[in-house]
Structures are given as C-alpha cells and as structure tokens.
C-alpha cells in the first residue's frame, strides 16, 4: 500500500453502477480515480464487479492477491491492496466467480468492511466499480456509498435497465440520490436528452428527482487505451472523452468540498484540469 499522511481527512465513497453491462463503468471508474489521484487526492479504487472483474486487465497488472484473500484469517488490507503508481493510486482487485462475494448481503458486506475499516480512513476517495444489474452485492454496496454514479448510454435498453436499478434501490433501500453520466454520446445534446428521458420516468413513476452529472463523448481513444492497458487520461489527455471525464472529476471534487468547505481548494481543482 502507498504511504499515506496521518492527517485525518474525510473519506468520500462513491460507486459506479449501471443497469446494462458494457456501458463504460470500469473505464469511467478507472479514469476518475486516476484524475483524482493526479490532483493529489489519496485514492483507493475497488473492483467490486465480482462477476466480471477486469480492472486489473485495464491496468495491465496481475495482482497476486484479491478481495477473496481478505476473507481468510490473518490477511490484512495491506496484503491485498496493490499500488498502481508508486506512492499513489491504490487498487483492491476483485475475485471472479466467488459465490460468497456474488451474493453479498448487508451482514456479509459489513464483515468484509470491518476488516477494511482501519485502512479506508486513510483515503480521500474510495471508488467502487460495481457490476451491472440488481444483484445483491451491487445493491448492498450501492446503498452504502455516499455518492452513486449511474452510467447510461443513449440506447433504450440501457435506459430501461438503469430505471430498474434506480427503482429497486429506491424501493428496497430508500436511496433517492443518483448522479447520472451519459456515456458514448455523439454530442452534449444527446447526453441531455438521454438524461431527460430517464429523469422523466423517475419523476413520473417514482416521484424521484435524479441529477445530471454530465456526458462523455464516444471516442476511438477509449478502445485504443483499453488495448494499450493504460488509463485514457494518461494515453490521450487532450481527447474529448478525457476532457469530459476531467470535468466529471471536478464535479466530484466540488461535491466533496461542499461537504467540507475547507477542502474547496481552487488549486486542487485547477490541478485536475491541467495535470
Ligand atoms: N466513451 C467511449 N467511447 C468509445 N468507447 C467506449 C467509451 N466508453 C466505453 N467504451 C468501450 O466500451 C467497452 C466497455 O467498457 P467497460 O468500461 O468495460 O464497460 P462496463 O464496465 O460497463 O462493462 C470498452 O471496450 C470500451 O472500449
Ligand atoms: Mg466493468
């Protein structure tokens, strides 16, 4: 694990989720984590897509241990957290195909997190990359984090599946705040219209006001960065999708600053945009 300062700062947790798979959650989670890390925030990214864990592949690393090892007695968070960049961005890999983790109810979630608790307070942000859909693990993790980012694409199936996830989290867990990111848009108008469709359904059928966080352009640099196993923001910092994701990172930093006004450091926001 990277060296962390002993200065107590608030830890903000956020999760990236979706209705449908393949909409761009892992790429968004990875690049938001990377952008915030570059702006000097202490970051932990956790791959909690326990069905289809692949953030290690996006990063081109082969971690020796993962979340499953943490369930064993005597294994500490320091044993399983990998440092992606020297002294920076920490990453906890998921375990694919582990039934206990696929069906994580609130009690089991709490026992996993009781082990992680001492380590989590050392971070400014903990970013969870979740699986798609309404599995138990997704719901219990999404209900736990401070902020939920729902990734949708303009496809109608993505919209209906996202609505289903919001509905279940609202009715079964009492969650009412959702931030929406529309990925793979051809222009910002398409992002806004897609959001309005989802927001209209949430308002009409659930009486819920959801928030628009922004959109990310469809950009050939994204699959290219995946092929190179490098974060997009590192591979093509000036491309449209990178710029969009940097704007989202600024919004996340502002959100945290609203919770703790003394963290509203203009210099940090500037650093996110200029690297
Ligand atoms: N903004 C984008 N522009 C172009 N392709 C994208 C974009 N976002 C994601 N993709 C592509 O979509 C695929 C799925 O992305 P991924 O992040 O793995 O989705 P998920 O985690 O939701 O399953 C990737 O192969 C990636 O290249
Ligand atoms: Mg994924």
């Amino acid at each position: 694990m990277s060296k962390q300062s002993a200065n107590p700062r608030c830890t903000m947790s956020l999760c990236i989720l979706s209705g449908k798979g393949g909409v761009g959650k892992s790429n968004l989670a990875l690049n938001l984590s990377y952008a915030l890390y570059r702006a000097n925030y202490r970051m932990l990214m956790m791959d909690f897509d326990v069905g289809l864990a692949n953030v290690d592949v996006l990063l081109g690393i082969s971690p020796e241990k993962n979340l499953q090892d943490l369930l064993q007695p005597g294994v500490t968070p320091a044993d399983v957290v990998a440092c992606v960049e020297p002294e920076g961005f920490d990453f906890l890999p998921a375990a694919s195909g582990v039934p206990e983790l696929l069906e994580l109810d609130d009690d089991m979630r709490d026992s996993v997190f009781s082990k992680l608790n001492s380590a989590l307070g050392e971070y400014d942000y903990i970013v969870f990359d979740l699986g798609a859909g309404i599995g138990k693990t997704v719901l219990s993790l999404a209900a736990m984090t401070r902020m939920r980012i729902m990734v949708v694409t303009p496809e109608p199936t993505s919209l209906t599946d996202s609505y289903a996830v919001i509905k279940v989290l609202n009715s079964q867990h009492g969650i009412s705040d959702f931030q929406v990111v529309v990925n793979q848009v051809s222009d910002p108008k398409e992002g806004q219209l897609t959001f309005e469709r989802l927001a209209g359904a949430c308002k009409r059928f659930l009486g819920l006001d959801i928030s628009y966080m922004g959109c990310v352009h469809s950009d050939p640099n994204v699959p290219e960065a995946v092929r190179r196993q490098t974060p997009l923001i590192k591979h093509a910092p000036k491309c449209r999708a990178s710029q969009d994701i940097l704007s989202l990172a600024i919004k996340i930093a502002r959100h945290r600053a609203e919770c703790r006004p003394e963290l509203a450091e203009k210099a940090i926001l500037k650093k996110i945009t200029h690297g």
Side-chain angles (χ1 to χ4, degrees):
M1 211 184 319
S2 61
K3 290 248 180 302
Q4 307 289 348
S5 109
N7 180 21
R9 292 162 77 167
C10 77
T11 303
M12 180 169 160
S13 56
L14 60 106
C15 69
I16 317 285
L17 71 168
S18 71
K20 191 170 162 315
V23 294
K25 288 182 299 300
S26 298
N27 277 281
L28 184 65
L30 170 63
N31 283 288
L32 284 176
S33 300
Y34 188 71
L36 289 164
Y37 153 63
R38 277 213 348 222
N40 287 341
Y41 287 107
R42 294 169 300 177
M43 301 300 303
L44 174 65
M45 179 179 175
M46 293 180 69
D47 188 351
F48 243 98
D49 188 351
V50 287
L52 296 165
N54 62 6
V55 178
D56 50 340
V57 182
L58 290 178
L59 284 164
I61 58 172
S62 314
E64 279 173 24
K65 291 203 160 61
N66 60 39
L67 200 55
Q68 188 182 12
D69 296 293
L70 195 64
L71 302 177
Q72 307 304 318
V75 177
T76 67
D79 296 327
V80 291
V81 172
C83 186
V84 175
E85 299 251 333
E87 298 188 292
F89 173 10
D90 284 352
F91 170 58
L92 179 50
S96 289
V98 180
E100 305 98 281
L101 291 173
L102 274 171
E103 289 290 304
L104 203 67
D105 60 19
D106 291 358
D107 287 344
M108 281 159 68
R109 174 199 72 191
D110 292 346
S111 84
V112 171
F113 279 89
S114 70
K115 260 200 148 177
L116 281 168
N117 240 348
S118 57
L120 297 186
E122 294 182 11
Y123 295 98
D124 294 317
Y125 289 97
I126 301 165
V127 176
F128 293 93
D129 180 24
L130 300 183
I134 49 170
K136 249 188 192 171
T137 304
V138 171
L139 296 177
S140 67
L141 268 287
M144 178 189 81
T145 56
R146 165 92 70 86
M147 189 180 196
R148 280 154 287 280
I149 300 178
M150 173 66 74
V151 183
V152 303
T153 66
E155 288 180 2
T157 43
S158 167
L159 281 180
T160 50
D161 292 352
S162 304
Y163 172 79
V165 174
I166 291 174
K167 186 178 171 187
V168 174
L169 274 167
N170 182 245
S171 61
Q172 292 183 7
H173 294 265
I175 303 295
S176 56
D177 56 314
F178 296 89
Q179 303 285 329
V180 175
V181 169
V182 185
N183 190 24
Q184 305 197 31
V185 301
S186 48
D187 56 47
K189 203 172 164 196
E190 187 178 36
Q192 184 70 41
L193 283 174
T194 303
F195 167 73
E196 281 167 13
R197 265 183 221 125
L198 181 60
C202 290
K203 183 75 182 165
R204 188 163 165 212
F205 300 113
L206 307 173
L208 208 60
D209 287 311
I210 57 172
S211 309
Y212 187 40
M213 208 177 173
C215 62
V216 180
H217 281 83
S218 182
D219 189 324
N221 288 289
V222 180
E224 178 58 26
V226 172
R227 275 193 289 275
R228 289 174 183 254
Q229 296 181 289
T230 305
L232 172 76
I233 289 177
K234 196 174 185 180
H235 166 66
K238 302 249 182 285
C239 77
R240 289 191 97 164
S242 285
Q243 294 302 311
D244 295 336
I245 293 170
L246 289 171
S247 302
L248 297 173
I250 290 173
K251 287 192 179 165
I252 291 170
R254 287 215 180 102
H255 199 279
R256 184 163 179 270
E258 277 164 19
C259 308
R260 292 271 303 261
E262 71 273 23
L263 298 174
E265 301 157 26
K266 285 206 177 81
I268 287 184
L269 295 181
K270 210 170 157 198
K271 202 154 190 313
I272 291 180
T273 34
H274 299 289

